[in-house]
Amino acid sequence: MKITLRPIQTHPISAFALCMLFTLPWPLRAQSRLAADLIIRNANIWTVDKSHPTAEAVAVLADRIVAVGSNDAVETWHGPHTRVIDASGKMLLPGFNDAHVHFVDGGLALDRAQLNDATSAAEFARRIGERARKTPKGEWVMGGDWDETKWSPAVMPSKELIDPLTPDAPVFVSRYDGHMALANSVTLRLAGITSKTPDPPGGVIVRDAQGNPTGALKDAAMDYVYKVAPPLSHDERLRAIQRALAHAASLGVTSVQHMNPEYADIAVYSELLERGELTTRVYAAPLITGVDDQVKIGIRHAFGGPFLRIGALKGYADGSLGSGTAYFLEPFNNQPNNRGLLSDEMHPVSLMQDRMMKADAAGLQLCTHAIGDQGISIILDLYTEVVKAHGERDRRFRIEHAQHMAAKDFERFARLHVIASMQPYHAIDDGRWAEERIGHDRASRTYAFRTFLDHGVRLAFGTDWNVAPLNPMLGLYAATTRATLDGKNPNGWFPEQKLTVAEAVEAYTLGSAYAEFQENDKGSITPGKLADMVLLSDDIFHIDPAKIRDVSVVATWVGGKMVWDASGKSGH
Ligand SMILES: [Zn+2]
């Protein structure tokens, strides 16, 4: 391909052309007077690039970084049309890459009734009534994450509480643990649930003294309602994603890895991409149960463009610690007969193995949720079988969460080059009560960030949003302090597992980029990479780590385009 240089670039050039330019000797570039579109100067830059960890200024041409260095060095890229931003000494980092989100659920939750912090049954009911009035006809009031233990008095809610406020709208609001939800009478009617409806296997219809349903449905009984709830409309999905994109931009999250999206989510991403409105980069990993779909198309891992990729599959080995379903070698300390549960997909384990083999043969990437030590161990066994069957290759196996490790497994985790895709916020949340459930010894290998690094395992950080907040500052705070949310471990819960700020930032940027095969394009402020950057209110390397959670985002750039500006002066 022949590259023609124009005096001043006024419109985007291809990444390929840009790569060619890097190889041009300096005088030629000077002659052609190629100039940057954007220069950020007077910044306190932590590049996450080990060859040049710090810098003052960065120049961007089209969507890529072209120069990083001192103010003077980068000034040579200044042309008549270059936009110059003075960062006033604030800290500039590569944009955060959240390696594990449920982006549409998160976007939906942003607009749903917030019930979690209600302090009484009356407040709970009032918020549901208010949301019902604002909900368009035909849509349901859902979500909520209510927690009656925070009410005084702490009473289980029933439909009588909300019926008078919601005469027309179907309501089905979930308890925060996802194991129970409350329906109003409209919803019970739609689902056909009456006093005569039997409890399904694995579920309970909560009833009053007369045997009438109270509206509270547990576990499998919730399926009666889910069966009749309308699927998200295209418009609802689109609005949820737009809200999620704006939220991500405001938090400096420039890339997300969307675990178990529906295909309709991917369709909306591509629609927004076409409209130029996708402002967060997305790698989508649909469920492994649909492995045949991606195999049939013939795409391989990380297939797509800088804004949207597919080619990964998300599987489930087990459940969660909180619900007692994470699968352990030994029983829970507080439940001597319970070791947890393998997921449906693991019954039998050979079913999961067949799917993994098929996926790997097709060149797809495997991301498997595994939380209990035995759940993790079985997935490592399966990954070993995959390598045995198909030979060594750069396949970047992932274990999502990797929460509770058996001591014997760290070494082979490293040997198999498995990426530990972890969410540090869960550590300071679960850390409040994990030890009473699994005991001191197992807890010492829980969210074992340091032990993983010591074994040479790569970390990729994220949040699991909307299970936890999307804000990366909370993740950095959690990884560096391990101070549990209840304030009981100010010096850290298993403090020997704390990370330094630099290590935590790397896991949240370059580590996550590596986990999606994008470390050559993202994850550090390096010439040639995509210009995804975040300017912070404070220098997180020099403040007390306990204050990191209060740090805010001043501005966010994705591909050199400002997508968030806290001052409101520019941006979208
Ligand atoms: Zn998740």
Side-chain angles (χ1 to χ4, degrees):
M1 184 196 278
K2 189 169 172 287
I3 307 289
T4 314
L5 293 180
R6 285 177 294 270
I8 300 288
Q9 292 296 335
T10 52
H11 58 267
I13 57 173
S14 76
F16 175 73
L18 203 53
C19 291
M20 297 299 289
L21 293 173
F22 293 132
T23 65
L24 294 177
W26 163 249
L28 182 51
R29 189 173 65 75
Q31 245 171 37
S32 69
R33 291 186 298 122
L34 194 64
D37 295 312
L38 169 69
I39 288 177
I40 303 170
R41 48 184 285 122
N42 294 328
N44 169 11
I45 305 179
W46 180 257
T47 63
V48 192
D49 181 335
K50 292 213 161 67
S51 60
H52 302 93
T54 59
E56 283 177 317
V58 54
V60 175
L61 178 55
D63 64 346
R64 300 256 168 183
I65 295 163
V66 287
V68 182
S70 65
N71 285 333
D72 289 347
V74 170
E75 184 58 24
T76 60
W77 283 88
H78 197 160
H81 303 291
T82 303
R83 176 162 185 231
V84 179
I85 291 178
D86 186 333
S88 320
K90 289 205 187 318
M91 170 150 263
L92 189 76
L93 295 179
F96 294 102
N97 184 335
D98 192 316
H100 187 124
V101 295
H102 303 283
F103 211 55
V104 174
D105 294 337
L108 287 169
L110 288 175
D111 194 43
R112 281 180 168 166
Q114 307 295 331
L115 304 173
N116 191 264
D117 58 351
T119 53
S120 68
E123 176 64 13
F124 164 83
R126 191 192 63 73
R127 292 188 193 181
I128 291 173
E130 189 182 298
R131 173 50 51 184
R133 277 196 304 281
K134 288 184 192 156
T135 299
K137 207 172 153 48
E139 292 181 16
W140 287 40
V141 177
M142 295 180 87
D145 296 330
W146 50 272
D147 182 357
E148 83 292 346
T149 67
K150 293 177 178 166
W151 308 346
S152 46
V155 286
M156 200 50 78
S158 69
K159 64 182 188 323
E160 283 72 27
L161 190 60
I162 54 174
D163 273 347
L165 300 161
T166 58
D168 308 310
V171 175
F172 197 52
V173 286
S174 322
R175 192 166 188 271
Y176 77 100
D177 62 0
H179 290 278
M180 196 191 311
L182 179 70
N184 66 352
S185 290
V186 179
T187 297
L188 289 179
R189 209 155 44 236
L190 288 169
I193 298 173
T194 67
S195 57
K196 298 192 188 71
T197 311
D199 287 352
V204 176
I205 299 170
V206 180
R207 299 164 204 265
D208 63 19
Q210 286 74 47
N212 294 314
T214 67
L217 303 176
K218 291 186 181 182
D219 291 307
M222 300 191 289
D223 292 340
Y224 285 137
V225 173
Y226 290 131
K227 255 181 247 161
V228 299
L232 275 189
S233 69
H234 174 267
D235 207 47
E236 282 174 283
R237 199 180 300 275
L238 179 70
R239 280 186 276 132
I241 290 177
Q242 285 170 327
R243 276 192 296 273
L245 292 170
H247 189 56
S250 75
L251 296 170
V253 177
T254 55
S255 290
V256 293
Q257 300 176 38
H258 184 163
M259 295 294 134
N260 31 304
E262 291 178 33
Y263 294 156
D265 301 338
I266 300 174
V268 170
Y269 289 138
S270 30
E271 191 184 325
L272 287 168
L273 172 62
E274 198 176 292
R275 283 157 47 173
E277 293 171 20
L278 196 58
T279 50
T280 310
R281 305 183 193 278
V282 180
Y283 186 39
L287 287 174
I288 195 167
T289 48
V291 57
D292 289 340
D293 297 336
Q294 294 192 61
V295 169
K296 211 183 295 169
I297 308 167
I299 55 117
R300 297 171 68 82
H301 63 256
F303 171 84
F307 270 102
L308 183 56
R309 291 177 194 276
I310 52 176
L313 292 162
K314 163 82 181 303
Y316 280 89
D318 60 357
S320 71
L321 183 68
S323 62
T325 51
Y327 194 54
F328 281 95
L329 290 156
E330 301 292 333
F332 286 85
N333 289 42
N334 61 340
Q335 299 171 48
N337 297 317
N338 182 21
R339 289 173 49 207
L341 286 173
L342 285 175
S343 75
D344 292 354
E345 300 166 25
M346 299 280 277
H347 290 286
V349 173
S350 61
L351 178 65
M352 180 64 100
Q353 178 161 352
D354 291 346
R355 286 177 174 148
M356 285 185 173
M357 288 290 179
K358 204 186 269 184
D360 187 74
L364 297 163
Q365 187 184 16
L366 295 169
C367 315
T368 313
H369 163 122
I371 288 184
D373 52 18
Q374 177 70 326
I376 294 169
S377 225
I378 295 174
I379 296 305
L380 294 176
D381 293 343
L382 293 178
Y383 285 174
T384 305
E385 291 303 314
V386 167
V387 176
K388 248 189 235 162
H390 300 151
E392 292 283 350
R393 187 181 85 222
D394 181 13
R395 43 169 66 81
R396 306 195 190 182
F397 288 133
R398 298 165 53 148
I399 288 187
E400 304 301 316
H401 313 305
Q403 258 170 241
H404 310 286
M405 286 288 292
K408 65 178 170 77
D409 278 335
F410 284 104
E411 227 156 82
R412 62 178 183 140
F413 207 107
R415 213 177 327 117
L416 287 161
H417 309 292
V418 178
I419 295 158
S421 169
M422 304 181 81
Q423 302 78 38
Y425 184 87
H426 287 337
I428 59 170
D429 192 350
D430 296 8
R432 290 174 296 150
W433 42 259
E435 212 168 329
E436 73 181 43
R437 300 198 188 186
I438 56 173
H440 185 82
D441 176 57
R442 285 187 288 189
S444 72
R445 294 181 303 277
T446 286
Y447 301 102
F449 309 132
R450 171 62 55 202
T451 313
F452 274 124
L453 288 187
D454 287 348
H455 281 83
V457 171
R458 286 175 193 264
L459 296 176
F461 274 175
T463 58
D464 211 2
W465 188 49
N466 65 321
V467 180
L470 184 64
N471 184 354
M473 292 306 136
L474 296 175
L476 298 180
Y477 164 80
T480 55
T481 67
R482 291 180 71 98
T484 52
L485 294 175
D486 55 11
K488 290 190 180 151
N489 297 278
N491 298 316
W493 181 63
F494 294 95
E496 61 279 8
Q497 296 291 350
K498 283 184 204 175
L499 295 187
T500 64
V501 175
E503 288 165 336
V505 168
E506 181 175 337
Y508 224 131
T509 52
L510 198 56
S512 307
Y514 182 85
E516 56 159 333
F517 293 89
Q518 297 304 304
E519 74 280 8
N520 293 326
D521 284 295
K522 298 197 285 200
S524 67
I525 298 181
T526 302
K529 289 198 180 183
L530 292 162
D532 298 352
M533 298 175 288
V534 53
L535 192 68
L536 300 180
S537 62
D538 298 270
D539 178 347
I540 55 173
F541 285 73
H542 291 101
I543 58 175
D544 175 358
K547 297 212 161 83
I548 293 178
R549 60 176 161 180
D550 303 322
V551 170
S552 65
V553 170
V554 175
T556 307
W557 292 266
V558 175
K561 193 175 146 210
M562 192 182 251
V563 296
W564 167 255
D565 176 5
S567 73
K569 276 182 234 144
S570 54
H572 51 225

